[in-house]
Amino acid sequence: MSRMCEGRVVVVTGAGRGLGRAHALAFAAEGAKVVVNDLDVGLDGTPGGADAAPTPAADTPALRVAAEIRAAGGEAVAHGGDVATSAGAASLVAAALETFGRLDTLVNNAGFLRDRMLVNLDEDDWDAVVRVHLKGHFLPLKHAAAHWRAEAKAGRAPNARIVNTSSGAGLLGSLGQGNYSAAKAGIVGLTLVAAAELARYGVQVNAIAPAARTRMTERTFAESMAAPDTGFDAMAPENVSPLVVWLGAAASEGVTGRVFEAEGGRITVMEGWRAGPTKDKGARWTPREAGETALKLLGEAGAPGAVYGA
């Protein structure tokens, strides 16, 4: 049986650890050539932070994952640029083209946390988290899309894929993570726009909202994320990667503009914002009428999901 991604070139950001590493290894196992991107920073995004690898630049997480792929017989190259800068994102796309001669799939995964309750959240912490998650999705997407648009206009129609990484925090909210939740919600909006705009160039764009044990979750949700002594490890990041590989493969033809939750052995198609119960008076409401009508419509609507941590 042929491998699902044979001949495809895949870029994965934030691929030195956790979900990104699992995705990179899973793509390689299915025959893809992989560009392994990782900036190697601490859990809070600080260079040389407590969670950054205490190793010299010659031995970074990205280099180790690329070496792991090659040791298993695959092809990979490491990239250490900051994808939340235009130069870093451009060099990421260039790395794929210069090393492997093409680019087929972009998986946006890089991110970090600076959790605070809103009244304690500093402006710098807001900016840093929105920058790495939202801008760090936009810029690689922009540069990859520009390449695929040029290919399409040259008559070489791409069969390209983008997989973005949102979160349950972006879909439902999460206490103490206002910056992260806002950025992850923004990624959903970006995914929908990109799917609509890039379809003409042969690019499909989807998003996942994963739940898994990573540096970003094992501290905040230590008890629920802990590995069991025996049996199926539902929180292992490797459980999420099969869906990402399929979304990044040609086999997912026709699937675009969708958001999937992935956790353990469960895959869920999220249905998001769409019109629910409605009432049109055909004229201006009074405040009292508007309130009475809103309460009636709320009674007809389903209850929203609970905010994480509430």
Side-chain angles (χ1 to χ4, degrees):
M1 182 182 296
S2 63
R3 294 185 292 181
M4 184 174 287
C5 292
E6 201 75 56
R8 292 181 72 83
V9 174
V10 177
V11 167
V12 184
T13 71
R17 305 176 177 87
L19 283 167
R21 173 182 174 273
H23 299 340
L25 295 174
F27 272 109
E30 288 294 335
K33 302 171 184 179
V34 185
V35 179
V36 180
N37 164 266
D38 196 274
L39 190 56
D40 187 18
V41 295
L43 179 60
D44 65 352
T46 304
D51 293 281
T55 53
D59 183 22
T60 65
L63 286 167
R64 290 196 291 272
V65 173
E68 190 175 356
I69 289 171
R70 291 192 295 270
E75 296 184 58
V77 63
H79 178 272
D82 182 354
V83 296
T85 67
S86 187
S91 70
L92 179 64
V93 173
L97 299 178
E98 292 168 6
T99 306
F100 300 121
R102 61 184 296 125
L103 173 61
D104 300 287
T105 297
L106 166 65
V107 179
N108 283 314
N109 171 76
F112 56 74
L113 295 176
R114 293 190 185 179
D115 292 352
R116 299 284 190 280
M117 301 300 281
L118 288 172
V119 295
N120 297 319
L121 183 61
D122 292 337
E123 184 177 354
D124 287 346
D125 292 334
W126 174 275
D127 289 345
V129 169
V130 171
R131 174 186 179 273
V132 70
H133 287 280
L134 191 50
K135 193 175 181 182
H137 271 63
F138 161 64
L139 287 172
L141 185 157
K142 172 185 169 68
H143 286 282
H147 164 68
W148 288 321
R149 180 182 64 178
E151 289 290 287
K153 289 186 174 182
R156 298 183 293 271
N159 191 9
R161 305 286 186 266
I162 297 174
V163 184
N164 292 329
T165 305
S166 182
S167 168
L171 303 176
L172 298 172
S174 179
L175 294 183
Q177 294 187 312
N179 48 2
Y180 177 74
S181 296
K184 288 303 192 183
I187 287 167
V188 173
L190 177 64
T191 298
L192 301 179
V193 172
E197 290 186 357
L198 302 181
R200 71 189 73 179
Y201 306 125
V203 184
Q204 294 181 186
V205 189
N206 295 285
I208 60 164
R213 184 175 55 255
T214 70
R215 288 195 303 170
M216 290 172 52
T217 60
E218 63 185 353
R219 289 185 179 180
T220 306
F221 307 106
E223 185 174 341
S224 61
M225 290 290 170
D229 294 331
T230 60
F232 178 52
D233 182 0
M235 290 296 105
E238 291 79 8
N239 297 331
V240 176
S241 299
L243 176 62
V244 175
V245 170
W246 181 79
L247 288 171
S252 63
E253 181 66 33
V255 179
T256 194
R258 305 307 295 261
V259 180
F260 297 84
E261 273 195 334
E263 175 184 344
R266 177 174 61 84
I267 295 172
T268 303
V269 177
M270 304 304 291
E271 296 190 320
W273 293 108
R274 55 181 181 176
T278 184
K279 173 74 172 179
D280 184 356
K281 178 182 177 182
R284 183 178 302 155
W285 301 97
T286 67
R288 187 178 300 278
E289 288 173 335
E292 291 172 349
T293 301
L295 288 173
K296 182 175 184 298
L297 295 175
L298 286 169
E300 298 170 1
V307 172
Y308 285 89

